[in-house]
Amino acid sequence: MPEKPELDFPRPLTTVDVVIFAIRSNALQVLLVQRPRAETEPFPGAWALPGGFVDVAGDRDLEACAARKLKDKTGVVSPYLEQLGSWGSATRDPRGWSATHAYFALLPEQAAGGALAADAQWFAVEGEKVRPNLAFDHAEILQAAVQRLRSKVEYTSLPAYLMPPEFTLPELQRTYEIVLDRPLEKSAFRTRMLAADLIEPVARMRKGPNRPAQLYRLKKARAPVFFARTFNPPG
Amino acid sequence: MPEKPELDFPRPLTTVDVVIFAIRSNALQVLLVQRPRAETEPFPGAWALPGGFVDVAGDRDLEACAARKLKDKTGVVSPYLEQLGSWGSATRDPRGWSATHAYFALLPEQAAGGALAADAQWFAVEGEKVRPNLAFDHAEILQAAVQRLRSKVEYTSLPAYLMPPEFTLPELQRTYEIVLDRPLEKSAFRTRMLAADLIEPVARMRKGPNRPAQLYRLKKARAPVFFARTFNPPG
DNA sequence: TAAGTTAGTTGGACTGTACAACTAAGTATG
DNA sequence: CATACTTAGTTGTACAGTCCAACTAACTTA
């Protein structure tokens, strides 16, 4: 196969990493995997974001590669998956110049409870931090993912992707509150959600520890909604 | 140099492309470069986004690589530069599996008039389209950049980076209107801009074809401001 | 000197949020 | 079985920001 001279440049390593979020036990959690303990590996035994090298033969494109890694670790096939950004430098991987394409995924709670890979484990995200020290620059990537999630939750309907197929308005509000880590106004939340034309009521009601509550579901084929204002402006 | 087996994977080509915007002649314009006409090159003679391979020896990280390519083509050293996203697939480059890290830059008009590279030229962006057929998937990347710019202009102070150091409020509003391609309300624009605590008045006034107009400048160390509402909601 | 242009202000109608009080319908407890 | 508790959802008032239009002020041009 003839190659042009310029293609003889040394090429950076190319990886894809996925920040996988779910609400579990009333907290925002992220899925991490433990790196192999072999000393030939970088960061042996450390926790890291799920990810790895692009398979030039098998991966059609970057998003397919991210979806593959997500499925490998969780069994989930098509959740919300969004590109987060890319990180590349000469120093982030001890094996050489490397660039990673980072994605973030949102899973409903019950999907997050499924068939986890053996090396994978959920960790709570608290105040943009996570307990273990992460391999590579994954702490920075994770922090960017949490910031992006929090920021988009302010003005979009993203948290709906963290919900089961049917949910009540207060449940949706609680999800917003967990991600944002602050309480929201009940009536303003209701007004905005209903005005957004994002969810629709289903016939059934949920019997809770109170009166029956109206169940809603996401309207089909509805992209994330952009809200005009932030909730509870500071002050 | 000992390498682990997994590093023998074929690596994707890694490039960085920069979408460079400026307001010129009261229109949003983007800088394109013409690809070499040699038949050994992909897309010979076609217009493309400024960009190219990451220099593993010379580029510290992706952003430095983007800044280098920007400086090569425009001479501008440190404008607003933001990561846009990455595009990677087996088919986007005829030479093989490739991934590009795309950035977008905003230049003030006078900086955009500077020392252009010989193969570079400004093109007007009209309705998210640009005249020439672009090489690779650069039309898609450019479209994403325009969308991102328009969208962020709705709710941030980004257009300030397209302004000269000192400007009047109506001039700033005109820049918003050019990017958004629709008129904005004068009094609402003024209220929002001043409330955003983003710009500060300078002592001098500008003598225009009317009375002296107050000059403003960007407050230092001020990140893009997030506005609560969109301008002129549809309808 | 008169007409035109543009910067900036003012006021009324309207919309959506913050906050708090309220009603209604279930559950838990004695 | 009666009472208290909990939570879903509503209502009302105050307030802030936008939309729209009319207005004033200061300069330019004919």
Side-chain angles (χ1 to χ4, degrees):
Chain A
M1 180 183 183
E3 293 213 335
K4 319 309 169 295
E6 76 224 84
L7 296 182
D8 289 339
F9 281 2
R11 303 180 180 187
L13 296 165
T14 301
T15 59
V16 169
D17 293 307
V18 191
V19 185
I20 306 170
F21 289 116
I23 304 285
R24 291 163 48 89
S25 316
N26 290 317
L28 181 63
Q29 303 202 350
V30 63
L31 190 70
L32 300 177
V33 300
Q34 195 166 24
R35 293 194 56 80
R37 298 204 165 272
E39 287 301 328
T40 53
E41 289 279 334
F43 302 95
W47 291 95
L49 296 172
F53 293 106
V54 169
D55 178 0
V56 169
D59 292 322
R60 203 175 37 256
D61 54 34
L62 290 173
E63 181 162 336
C65 178
R68 171 172 64 83
K69 289 169 194 306
L70 176 71
K71 175 153 179 279
D72 284 352
K73 296 302 176 190
T74 66
V76 175
V77 173
S78 58
Y80 181 81
L81 187 61
E82 169 182 326
Q83 196 180 78
L84 175 63
S86 56
W87 279 256
S89 78
T91 54
R92 62 180 295 277
D93 189 316
R95 294 167 294 190
W97 220 107
S98 91
T100 193
H101 303 261
Y103 283 75
F104 87 88
L106 303 181
L107 266 52
E109 176 149 12
Q110 74 283 15
L116 271 199
D119 58 351
Q121 194 175 306
W122 290 99
F123 290 86
V125 176
E126 287 164 27
E128 323 225 339
K129 289 261 178 218
V130 100
R131 259 79 47 76
N133 285 337
L134 297 187
F136 306 104
D137 51 3
H138 287 188
E140 186 184 337
I141 296 175
L142 174 58
Q143 190 182 334
V146 173
Q147 272 181 16
R148 170 94 134 244
L149 177 61
R150 291 237 163 94
S151 147
K152 290 194 97 165
V153 161
E154 286 282 357
Y155 59 90
T156 75
S157 56
L158 266 197
Y161 296 101
L162 293 163
M163 304 300 294
E166 296 188 350
F167 49 85
T168 66
L169 262 180
E171 285 166 357
L172 181 59
Q173 181 174 348
R174 261 186 300 274
T175 298
Y176 271 82
E177 291 171 337
I178 287 170
V179 175
L180 289 176
D181 196 26
R182 73 169 194 266
L184 301 180
E185 274 307 311
K186 182 168 50 166
S187 59
F189 183 84
R190 183 184 191 78
T191 305
R192 184 185 288 194
M193 274 299 152
L194 296 182
D197 192 38
L198 164 78
I199 58 179
E200 58 188 359
V202 299
R204 300 186 303 106
M205 299 268 188
R206 169 166 303 165
K207 304 254 181 192
N210 44 3
R211 80 164 165 189
Q214 179 61 57
L215 285 172
Y216 293 86
R217 65 166 164 247
L218 260 187
K219 285 197 174 181
K220 290 186 234 305
R222 199 72 178 83
V225 168
F226 187 97
F227 297 130
R229 281 185 168 283
T230 57
F231 293 112
N232 294 346
Chain B
M1 179 182 183
E3 292 211 337
K4 320 308 169 298
E6 77 223 81
L7 296 182
D8 290 339
F9 280 3
R11 303 179 181 187
L13 295 166
T14 301
T15 58
V16 168
D17 293 307
V18 190
V19 185
I20 306 171
F21 288 117
I23 305 285
R24 290 163 50 88
S25 315
N26 289 316
L28 181 64
Q29 303 202 350
V30 64
L31 190 70
L32 300 178
V33 299
Q34 195 167 24
R35 294 194 56 78
R37 297 203 166 274
E39 286 301 328
T40 53
E41 290 280 332
F43 302 96
W47 292 94
L49 297 172
F53 294 107
V54 168
D55 177 2
V56 167
D59 292 322
R60 204 175 35 258
D61 54 34
L62 289 173
E63 183 162 334
C65 178
R68 170 172 66 83
K69 289 169 192 306
L70 176 70
K71 175 153 178 280
D72 284 351
K73 296 301 177 190
T74 66
V76 175
V77 172
S78 58
Y80 180 81
L81 188 62
E82 168 181 327
Q83 195 179 79
L84 175 63
S86 56
W87 278 257
S89 77
T91 54
R92 61 180 296 277
D93 188 316
R95 295 167 294 192
W97 221 108
S98 91
T100 193
H101 304 261
Y103 283 75
F104 85 90
L106 303 181
L107 265 52
E109 176 149 13
Q110 73 282 16
L116 271 199
D119 58 350
Q121 193 175 307
W122 290 99
F123 290 86
V125 176
E126 286 164 28
E128 323 223 340
K129 289 266 177 210
V130 101
R131 260 77 49 74
N133 285 337
L134 298 187
F136 305 105
D137 51 3
H138 287 186
E140 186 184 337
I141 295 174
L142 174 59
Q143 191 181 334
V146 173
Q147 272 180 17
R148 171 96 132 242
L149 177 62
R150 290 238 163 94
S151 146
K152 290 193 98 165
V153 162
E154 286 283 357
Y155 58 89
T156 75
S157 57
L158 264 199
Y161 296 102
L162 292 164
M163 305 301 293
E166 297 188 349
F167 49 85
T168 66
L169 262 179
E171 284 166 358
L172 181 58
Q173 181 174 348
R174 239 163 275 132
T175 297
Y176 270 82
E177 290 172 336
I178 288 170
V179 175
L180 289 176
D181 196 27
R182 73 170 195 267
L184 301 180
E185 274 309 310
K186 182 168 48 166
S187 59
F189 182 83
R190 181 182 192 79
T191 306
R192 183 185 290 193
M193 273 299 150
L194 296 182
D197 192 39
L198 163 79
I199 58 180
E200 57 188 1
V202 299
R204 301 187 301 106
M205 298 267 185
R206 170 166 302 166
K207 303 253 180 190
N210 44 1
R211 79 164 168 191
Q214 178 63 57
L215 285 172
Y216 294 86
R217 64 164 164 247
L218 261 187
K219 285 197 176 183
K220 293 185 232 302
R222 200 73 179 81
V225 168
F226 188 97
F227 296 131
R229 279 186 168 281
T230 58
F231 292 112
N232 295 343

